[in-house]
Amino acid sequence: MAYPILFLIFLSLPFSSAKLSLKYYNATCPDFEKIVRENVFNKQSAVPATAPGLLRMFFHDCITDGCDASILIASSAYNHHTERDAELNAALSGDAFDIISRIKNAMELACPGIVSCSDIVAQATRDLVKMVGGPFYNVRLGRKDSKVSDAKRVDASLPTTKMTMDQIIEKFTAKKFSIRDMVALTGAHTIGFTHCKEFSDRIYPTVDPTLHPKLAAGLRQICQNYTIDTSMAAFNDVRSPSTFDNAFFKNILKGLGLLRTDYFLSVDPRTRPIVEEYAKDQQAFFKDFAKAMEKVSVLGVKTGHKGEVRNRCDQFNNNIHA
Ligand code: HEM
Ligand SMILES: *[C@@H]1O[C@H](CO)[C@@H](O)[C@H](O)[C@H]1NC(C)=O
Ligand SMILES: *[C@@H]1O[C@H](CO)[C@@H](O)[C@H](O)[C@H]1NC(C)=O
């Protein structure tokens, strides 16, 4: 008798997203998809930095204890030092927070109290990736928002540019991502910006010989005042900065990547063959990126009483409990 029950438990374990569905809001908020799509279109048309900004925020939210919108909570008298206060989240784009609050406002008018902030983040990220040229993938819905947000959780979860390839691989495999998933996901660096301080030690005082000399000269020029003007930043992808394509992989094979860790991808024997494949075959990259993003989007999802549908994305409903 015990066998079938055990079997069922094991069978259902890997699918923490079992309660999510594509049609979650079909009856309760039928305009969900349309509201996200229209707001994303308007915002991205006006502010092209939105897509990379939200894509990065989505990754940081999900990799830190799940896709639960914990990254959106603002510090207050009751909640100090939330995820977004962590040093690694300091440069997250204000436009990423803005698009989510716009969509949430529209949802609260159309179907009050129904749609979670974490579902909005997941769906809006997908729509933005598609809008700037990237692949489509399914986003299952029904996430609840976290009741906790703690900056201390961020360092333990995120990869950083100071890490070795071994350490970065460990961060991804700890979350059940393969090396292939990791390489595909890092292809996200085909859009967006990096602030000078993230690569300044590759250009000052001397140039890192693994950087393409022309890129290095350009970066030394752009970043010359970066200690005074900390907003100075460079495009991640020098070829096609605003288009989601496979140029990132072509770039890093030529020393045209900004981050040292992106350079590692192009030389490490575990990752270089995958980089070469994606550089030659955009469809292979898109297929793997889509699959890996679907996997990211169900990381540590909270359903039922493990979370709540926040009234405002930047505050817990009961502000006192944390
Ligand atoms: C492999 C480990 C990774 C490291 C060490 C890393 C590090 C960084 C750093 C330092 C920046 C520059 C931030 C700034 O100066 O504002 C950045 C930007 C970015 N990252 Fe990553 N990243 C990694 C993987 C990923 C993944 C997996 C994704 C998404 C799936 C991603 C998406 C982005 C995006 C879209 C930007 C541009 C953000 C913007 O323009 O606002 N990164 N990353
Ligand atoms: C969606 O909801 C409508 C009613 O609003 C219903 O007729 C339809 O069958 C539902 N579709 C799915 C796929 O659940
Ligand atoms: C750096 O500062 C100097 C002096 O203020 C200015 O002339 C120069 O244009 C600045 N460079 C950049 C790239 O902003």
Side-chain angles (χ1 to χ4, degrees):
M1 262 327 270
Y3 281 36
I5 295 168
L6 269 179
F7 179 67
L8 273 178
I9 291 168
F10 287 135
L11 199 69
S12 62
L13 262 180
F15 303 103
S16 63
S17 57
K19 285 180 194 150
L20 302 183
S21 92
L22 291 173
K23 295 280 165 199
Y24 189 80
Y25 296 115
N26 181 35
T28 52
C29 196
D31 284 340
F32 171 82
E33 288 183 17
K34 182 165 167 269
I35 293 170
V36 174
R37 197 184 329 114
E38 288 179 359
N39 278 277
V40 154
F41 182 83
N42 292 336
K43 174 79 185 180
Q44 178 64 20
S45 304
V47 187
T50 309
L54 189 61
L55 178 53
R56 182 166 188 239
M57 180 205 266
F58 169 75
F59 173 61
H60 285 203
D61 184 38
C62 293
I63 203 89
T64 309
D65 299 336
C67 306
D68 57 7
S70 48
I71 205 158
L72 300 176
I73 296 293
S75 277
S76 69
Y78 306 109
N79 306 290
H80 306 277
H81 212 48
T82 57
E83 267 180 41
R84 71 190 270 186
D85 294 339
E87 171 68 22
L88 285 169
N89 286 332
L92 286 180
S93 149
D95 290 301
F97 291 94
D98 179 70
I99 181 60
I100 300 307
S101 93
R102 278 167 192 256
I103 297 172
K104 178 64 172 174
N105 290 344
M107 291 297 175
E108 291 308 295
L109 291 175
C111 28
I114 299 292
V115 178
S116 69
C117 300
S118 40
D119 277 346
I120 294 173
V121 171
Q123 181 90 0
T125 300
R126 195 278 313 278
D127 285 2
L128 281 163
V129 165
K130 183 76 193 137
M131 190 176 161
V132 296
F136 179 89
Y137 53 90
N138 282 318
V139 174
R140 281 174 291 163
L141 302 164
R143 294 165 191 75
K144 292 284 171 60
D145 301 326
S146 74
K147 301 188 211 177
V148 201
S149 175
D150 182 354
K152 287 199 293 292
R153 302 293 304 155
V154 176
D155 285 354
S157 309
L158 277 172
T160 76
T161 56
K162 301 271 182 286
M163 289 179 176
T164 63
M165 198 74 252
D166 280 345
Q167 290 171 317
I168 291 183
I169 288 174
E170 205 279 319
K171 288 284 173 216
F172 282 86
T173 50
K175 301 276 156 78
K176 307 273 189 288
F177 291 100
S178 64
I179 291 178
R180 208 175 164 83
D181 290 333
M182 177 191 80
V183 175
L185 286 171
T186 311
H189 292 168
T190 177
I191 52 173
F193 299 90
T194 293
H195 290 82
C196 295
K197 81 168 167 69
E198 301 293 348
F199 53 82
S200 57
D201 60 346
R202 300 184 78 197
I203 51 173
Y204 305 125
T206 53
V207 171
D208 177 342
T210 66
L211 257 184
H212 193 290
K214 281 202 179 125
L215 176 67
L219 295 175
R220 279 169 67 95
Q221 174 70 25
I222 296 170
C223 294
Q224 60 185 269
N225 304 328
Y226 84 98
T227 51
I228 304 156
D229 182 355
T230 54
S231 71
M232 295 313 288
F235 284 129
N236 283 334
D237 172 1
V238 290
R239 290 173 193 240
S240 49
S242 321
T243 306
F244 196 102
D245 55 18
N246 66 340
F248 169 77
F249 299 104
K250 298 180 188 171
N251 288 342
I252 58 176
L253 289 169
K254 296 200 163 79
L256 292 170
L258 301 186
L259 304 179
R260 177 177 286 109
T261 45
D262 290 342
Y263 164 72
F264 291 162
L265 287 179
S266 74
V267 287
D268 190 285
R270 293 164 291 186
T271 52
R272 183 177 172 97
I274 309 169
V275 170
E276 285 173 338
E277 182 187 341
Y278 292 160
K280 283 198 203 89
D281 183 352
Q282 177 160 286
Q283 280 320 309
F285 164 48
F286 276 17
K287 187 166 151 277
D288 290 350
F289 182 80
K291 201 178 90 202
M293 284 293 280
E294 250 189 278
K295 220 161 138 182
V296 172
S297 81
V298 297
L299 274 175
V301 159
K302 281 121 197 125
T303 53
H305 296 295
K306 294 196 186 106
E308 63 186 8
V309 171
R310 276 184 216 143
N311 301 320
R312 286 179 55 128
C313 290
D314 61 352
Q315 288 179 7
F316 301 119
N317 291 344
N318 174 359
N319 227 341
I320 321 280
H321 67 65

